[in-house]
Amino acid sequence: MGRLIVVSNRVQPPDAAGAGATGGLAVALSAALREYSGLWFGWSGETVDAFTGHLSMRKVGGVTLALMDLDEHDVHEYYNGYANRTLWPLFHYRTDLVAYERSFDEGYARVNARFAESLLPLIEPDDLIWVQDYHLLPLARALRRRGARNPIGFFLHIPWPARQIFTTLPRHAELVEALFDYDLIGFQTADSLQAFADYVKESAGGEVLPGGIAMAFGKRARIGAFPIGIDVAEITEGLKSDRAKAEFERVRASLLGRKMILGVDRLDYSKGLEERFLAYEQYLEDHPEGREHVFLLQIATPTRDEVEAYQDIRGRLESLSGRINGAYADVDWVPVRYVNKTYRRDALTGIYRAAHVALVTPLRDGMNLVAKEYVAAQDPDDPGVLVLSEQAGAAEQMREALIVNPFNREAVAEAIRRGLAMPLAERKDRWQALFDGVSTDDVAAWRDSFVAALKNEATADQPLRASANAR
Ligand code: ADQ
């Protein structure tokens, strides 16, 4: 086999010191590629006046990075537009926030074509190509139109929505038809896989054969669920660092005998931060005996600042945390510590370990790696408790967490109470089962199972693919 070529919107490996990338995809891909001497292709994150197609190449470890700059129109229409104002809210069931503009559509197609044109000269005949996420749904089509015959796989990091939601998107069929130029389409969960199969059967008039062969639009593709995991060793090694130890001590010293509830998220409306604050407020209201013995540390890193919905949520969270603190704080106690900083990954492990309860309560989430990182960072002799939303993909795997409906304020408040009071023996039992799962289904297992399935497609179905490509 040739190389593994990974394509994602942003190419953003953490630097050697562990700083840099936040966001599940960047963190996961850096870990996934570490053992492959492959190529990682995508946007540099830089904006130029006019697109040139120039690639800057550099090597980090065994991985060659190929980066291109985008122009301002591209960033406006493709990244801030179709990707983050149309697809992101739609795929997270926020149809109220979906903006659909014709120029976004055109920008999305244009940038996917630019990706294809710039990538094509780098592809060798026996390379495997693995495209990541919702920014690049039509990339295989753009590559095939330019003659690429390689096996191409696609992995969607966010949920695939129910058919009734997805079909509100103008020209939805075109988008799915383009997906059928991939040989393999991977989802995070059985739930997303089912929703896609449902669309194929009910809206596209196609069929899904046992074993996951989907057929529609006169084409075929294999579909499957490949739940993403984390690099457990990165977390356990990180815990041994001076920085993690210092961060752990700093947080623990600030507790003054209190227990800490922790949230760590990108500042995004899908993460359920407002609902989480309200549930914590409910807990304080219902449990006067708990007040002053607990606090919530919410770390929320601002992202996608140029999109209005993100400015709105930021403002609302500031006023909500202010309101809770105004109502309950005392001279020596602040119930909510709300922090907008980005932490180094090693420092974050120390913070995870210092928390007694983690609140991971997204309203909808492809997987959620924070849930897994929190479990990996716990002290086996005195582990914390994970409260996890049933709407996170991770809930399909992490059944021993306290699973909650994030929209049910009373239920989340009760899970906070239960987590804070949980006896050591139960905490250990639950944690052990969670840790075993996180260790087995790690990021290497995710990568290996996807790559193996793609290779399998490459060898098993050459004639079928060749005929599909010829269409
Ligand atoms: P995200 O929506 O970014 O990922 P998540 O899976 O939780 O969500 O990953 C966030 C990552 O960023 C974690 O690795 C976390 O450690 C890091 N991070 C967050 N805040 C940070 C901070 N303040 N400082 C430092 N690091 C921080 C998307 C999908 C998810 C899916 C992933 C991977 O939305 O559903 O799990 O991709 O597929």
Side-chain angles (χ1 to χ4, degrees):
M1 181 197 107
R3 301 166 303 171
L4 180 67
I5 300 183
V6 168
V7 188
S8 63
N9 169 56
R10 283 295 299 277
V11 174
Q12 203 183 16
D15 65 24
T22 38
L25 189 147
V27 170
L29 288 185
S30 307
L33 274 168
R34 210 165 288 149
E35 287 163 36
Y36 273 76
S37 45
L39 181 74
W40 187 0
F41 176 92
W43 177 32
S44 62
E46 300 295 322
T47 311
V48 288
D49 289 340
F51 179 76
T52 63
H54 171 77
L55 290 182
S56 75
M57 313 282 288
R58 68 187 163 94
K59 224 166 164 165
V60 175
V63 183
T64 304
L65 308 181
L67 303 132
M68 65 177 191
D69 302 335
L70 294 178
D71 69 29
E72 274 172 28
H73 272 106
D74 293 341
V75 175
H76 175 68
E77 294 170 359
Y78 149 83
Y79 180 70
N80 287 324
Y82 199 77
N84 286 328
R85 290 184 62 202
T86 310
L87 295 179
W88 178 273
L90 182 77
F91 282 38
H92 289 88
Y93 288 67
R94 291 298 303 268
T95 45
D96 57 319
L97 295 177
V98 173
Y100 184 80
E101 289 177 24
R102 196 60 204 224
S103 65
F104 290 176
D105 222 354
E106 287 160 6
Y108 188 68
R110 181 180 67 245
V111 173
N112 270 271
R114 286 182 168 171
F115 266 70
E117 265 152 34
S118 304
L119 176 59
L120 204 64
L122 304 180
I123 300 174
E124 289 164 17
D126 52 355
D127 289 339
L128 288 181
I129 304 171
W130 187 7
V131 178
Q132 312 285 329
D133 227 0
Y134 61 101
H135 314 84
L136 302 171
L137 290 161
L139 184 61
R141 159 171 289 190
L143 285 166
R144 299 264 184 246
R145 283 183 173 162
R146 288 163 180 77
R149 304 290 288 262
N150 305 59
I152 313 180
F154 176 80
F155 183 77
L156 182 68
H157 289 256
I158 65 177
W160 185 274
R163 189 166 58 87
Q164 292 79 354
I165 299 281
F166 184 67
T167 49
T168 63
L169 178 71
R171 304 170 69 190
H172 53 82
E174 222 171 282
L175 209 56
V176 176
E177 183 176 359
L179 269 177
F180 273 80
D181 276 329
Y182 289 101
D183 300 286
L184 174 65
I185 307 167
F187 301 93
Q188 296 272 24
T189 60
D191 191 60
S192 285
L193 179 64
Q194 185 56 46
F196 184 77
D198 205 38
Y199 179 91
V200 169
K201 287 183 278 189
E202 304 299 329
S203 298
E207 55 180 325
V208 178
L209 305 180
I213 302 288
M215 304 212 282
F217 308 102
K219 300 180 190 175
R220 60 163 321 266
R222 183 170 293 272
I223 59 177
F226 300 87
I228 198 167
I230 60 163
D231 181 358
V232 176
E234 188 222 346
I235 303 283
T236 47
E237 285 306 308
L239 282 168
K240 293 182 195 154
S241 68
D242 291 344
R243 199 174 299 265
K245 287 181 189 153
E247 207 62 43
F248 175 82
E249 293 303 336
R250 187 158 79 108
V251 176
R252 280 279 158 118
S254 81
L255 298 184
L256 304 172
R258 298 184 174 110
K259 288 191 172 172
M260 177 166 94
I261 304 167
L262 176 68
V264 177
D265 305 80
R266 281 187 309 98
L267 211 170
D268 191 293
Y269 49 80
S270 67
K271 301 293 181 186
L273 296 171
E274 278 179 277
E275 290 75 5
R276 186 180 307 168
F277 280 9
L278 291 169
Y280 175 62
E281 186 182 42
Q282 183 80 49
Y283 166 80
L284 296 176
E285 173 77 28
D286 294 350
H287 298 282
E289 75 288 355
R291 289 178 209 158
E292 308 211 13
H293 297 291
V294 67
F295 69 89
L296 169 66
L297 171 62
Q298 176 63 56
I299 299 174
T301 319
T303 48
R304 304 175 194 170
D305 277 348
E306 289 167 37
V307 179
E308 205 182 313
Y310 288 79
Q311 295 154 11
D312 291 350
I313 172 112
R314 192 167 180 179
R316 286 202 301 278
L317 287 170
E318 275 159 19
S319 75
L320 200 48
S321 57
R323 186 183 91 195
I324 298 171
N325 284 339
Y328 290 100
D330 210 332
V331 284
D332 58 353
W333 175 59
V334 179
V336 181
R337 298 183 192 175
Y338 178 48
V339 181
N340 291 130
K341 262 177 73 169
T342 300
Y343 286 86
R344 291 168 49 102
R345 294 194 54 71
D346 47 6
L348 199 55
T349 62
I351 300 175
Y352 283 142
R353 195 172 179 105
H356 299 87
V357 171
L359 280 183
V360 180
T361 54
L363 306 182
R364 207 156 286 271
D365 215 333
M367 176 57 62
N368 195 294
L369 297 180
V370 169
K372 297 187 173 186
E373 292 169 2
Y374 176 72
V375 165
Q378 294 309 293
D379 176 356
D381 295 325
D382 187 17
V385 175
L386 173 65
V387 176
L388 179 62
S389 163
E390 63 192 7
Q391 301 294 346
E396 269 190 15
Q397 298 173 302
M398 304 180 83
R399 302 309 301 169
E400 297 80 9
L402 296 183
I403 306 285
V404 292
N405 173 357
F407 296 96
N408 184 340
R409 203 180 292 176
E410 280 76 23
V412 177
E414 170 54 19
I416 291 174
R417 187 206 60 75
R418 201 174 151 202
L420 290 168
M422 192 179 285
L424 179 62
E426 184 180 350
R427 279 191 279 131
K428 280 182 165 177
D429 284 352
R430 287 176 181 271
W431 174 80
Q432 190 64 57
L434 289 169
F435 184 75
D436 291 347
V438 167
S439 304
T440 309
D441 300 323
D442 67 354
V443 73
W446 168 73
R447 173 200 61 202
D448 292 345
S449 63
F450 190 95
V451 171
L454 184 57
K455 273 189 200 164
N456 202 33
E457 283 307 288
T459 48
D461 295 313
Q462 287 287 4
L464 273 170
R465 196 177 58 254
S467 67
N469 293 349
R471 274 188 196 101

